[in-house]
Amino acid sequence: MWPEICDILDEWILGGRPERLVHLRYNELVGRNWLSFDDTEPYRNLPTELTKAAIGVPSHDLRTLAADYLRLHDPAHAADVIATHLGHGDRKSTEAYRAECGAAASQAIWQEVRAVIAQR
């Protein structure tokens, strides 16, 4: 999923400029908002509205899908990544994900141990 996201970001940031200028364009936008390309902060729902207008799905649904993938892919570290990814500012917001990640990490460890035991 990340290569596609990188391609989309590059295309958005470049805005029709040649691909060889991507690093210059990123440098131009340091400290600016990448949705509006200016120095002002957009209203809170702009990312969700732009995402929903483009693909018909709110961005929170996409972030939740990505969080589920992270939980399954790397449960030992996923809770912290998910908290950042979903913009959760406190541990209470991520309690459910932390519980799911803890259970998934424990399950993965048990499967590895069981595989070692079975080989003996």
Side-chain angles (χ1 to χ4, degrees):
M1 207 169 153
W2 292 116
E4 291 85 358
I5 290 171
C6 291
D7 289 345
I8 291 167
L9 266 177
D10 287 349
E11 189 172 325
W12 172 254
I13 296 297
L14 282 169
R17 294 168 183 83
E19 195 172 310
R20 62 180 164 40
L21 300 178
V22 71
H23 295 294
L24 292 173
R25 182 65 174 149
Y26 278 113
N27 286 334
E28 288 174 6
L29 296 174
V30 170
R32 291 183 166 192
N33 181 286
W34 284 9
L35 295 173
S36 62
F37 300 130
D38 63 23
D39 295 326
T40 60
E41 188 174 318
Y43 65 99
R44 182 174 165 90
N45 288 337
L46 183 58
T48 292
E49 290 178 14
L50 290 173
T51 303
K52 189 166 185 172
I55 62 172
V57 178
S59 59
H60 188 270
D61 293 358
L62 293 177
R63 291 191 309 269
T64 301
L65 178 65
D68 287 341
Y69 172 80
L70 289 169
R71 181 179 51 80
L72 295 173
H73 177 69
D74 185 8
H77 301 100
D80 292 329
V81 175
I82 291 167
T84 302
H85 183 67
L86 295 179
H88 293 160
D90 58 32
R91 288 188 69 86
K92 184 156 181 64
S93 300
T94 59
E95 282 178 356
Y97 279 109
R98 287 191 186 284
E100 289 179 25
C101 290
S106 297
Q107 182 182 23
I109 291 168
W110 169 241
Q111 288 173 345
E112 289 175 18
V113 169
R114 194 174 72 190
V116 170
I117 292 169
Q119 290 176 357
R120 292 184 178 177

